[in-house]
Amino acid sequence: MFIEKIDVFCTSPGRTFVTVRITTSDGVVGYGDSTLNGREQAVATYLRDHLVPMLIGHEDGAIESCWQLLYRGVYWRRGAITMAAIAGIDMALWDIKAKRANIPLYQLLGGRSRTGCLAYGHAFGKDIPNLVEHAHGLLEQGFKAVRLQAGIPGHDSNYGVPLPNQVDQGNLPVTEYWDTPSYLRFIPEVFSAARSELGEEVHLLHDSHHRLRPIEAARLAQDLEPYRLFWLEDCVPAENQEVYRLIRSKTVTPLAVGEVFNTVWDAQTLVTEQLIDYLRMSITHGGGITAMRKIFDFASIYQVRSGIHGPEDVSPIGMAAAIHLDTALHNFGIQEYSGYQSLSMDVFTPDFTFESGMLFPGEAPGLGVSYDEELANAYPYERSYLPINRLRDGSVHDW
Ligand code: GCO
Ligand code: MG
């Protein structure tokens, strides 16, 4: 059987998603997620203009060969746009293969390694009491792990803390302002309060969102040691993987990184030198299931566990793929799950479930998702950007 048709959708039902739909010569349909927040149209164009024409007529079951064709066969390798495009095609082909076998995808990936996948949710607040209240709400929903992000005194905005005045500018990114010293002073206070208010059992996580320099990250990781974090995420930008040597040598706070990576080469030093504890790459940005299965197997040799990126800007298709892989991997660590607006869930109707802090894959054949084209088309693409970050002197900082 072969690929007969590929549709690429870029719509904004609640937020923007790029969705791939492959139809085979015998009428089997598979779905994939190629969403790249803020650059969605670039991926959709890459797919429509460059990948789709070369795939029509390709054997749909030859997934590895298809992946190599899209990765090696174009000469220009890697990069977020290319790898998100490959991911959408790859997920759809795995969906088709599992549907043909009439089994849920995790069964094709080796079957269950666990009964459910530990998930973490996002708690945030403009100040500490507000954050603690929000975190309590998540614990009541069943979460056993929560990421804590708080507004910093003197900052009028901060990553992970949505502000009422932060309206989308449409054609221009929102500007936020950043000050490292006040952040470094405040975050240990946040975790001290959170530990005493939320107790010892709950797993606490924090995301520095690439904003520190190595020596600052080492300071923060040391200061957070008394509060026993599950992880400290993206404490520095990691284009230069070697910077983690310094941080690692200074702290026993577990480290997580990788949501902006797109191939194994971005994490090779981090993994082989055991500089991190959790690798955060998503299926949607890391080239799909074919690539991510290999990357996590490689990481397992070095006792690095998975912590797959799962924000709202990875579509429910990408989330479903993650939960199937999480279920099958031996070295699963945790799954990020920030949840979806009900409109997005209505478009994709995923069959994964959340209960008592755990995510469970559905039992429908394939990925267990669909795409309501008519409903999604009622929400045409709307341009939207991630914010940019500046220091008080106006210079651009990492967001
Ligand atoms: C996370 C991330 C996200 C990113 C977002 C960018 O840990 O979930 O940091 O919130 O900022 O995915 O598009
Ligand atoms: Mg993050």
Side-chain angles (χ1 to χ4, degrees), residues 37 147 159 207 209 233 259 280 309 311 313 336 386 399:
N37 197 0
R147 189 189 81 167
Y159 164 75
D207 189 349
H209 223 259
E233 174 186 341
E259 68 183 42
R280 299 258 306 129
H309 189 207
D313 49 271
E336 181 179 21
L386 288 164
W399 182 74

Side-chain angles (χ1 to χ4, degrees), residues 94-152:
W94 278 100
D95 190 23
I96 289 167
K97 194 178 266 300
K99 281 176 177 162
R100 284 199 193 291
N102 204 26
I103 52 178
L105 179 69
Y106 72 83
Q107 293 288 9
L108 265 192
L109 300 175
R112 280 185 191 286
S113 280
R114 58 191 45 75
T115 50
C117 311
L118 178 68
Y120 74 90
H122 291 184
F124 49 84
K126 61 179 175 21
D127 51 26
I128 294 175
N130 205 247
L131 167 67
V132 168
E133 190 189 333
H134 191 186
H136 271 302
L138 291 183
L139 301 189
E140 276 158 29
Q141 286 172 38
F143 277 103
K144 308 274 184 280
V146 285
R147 189 189 81 167
L148 305 180
Q149 307 293 135
I152 299 159

Side-chain angles (χ1 to χ4, degrees), residues 71-85:
Y71 182 77
R72 282 171 213 280
V74 294
Y75 189 66
W76 307 107
R77 298 180 188 198
R78 307 169 63 180
I81 290 166
T82 302
M83 299 310 287

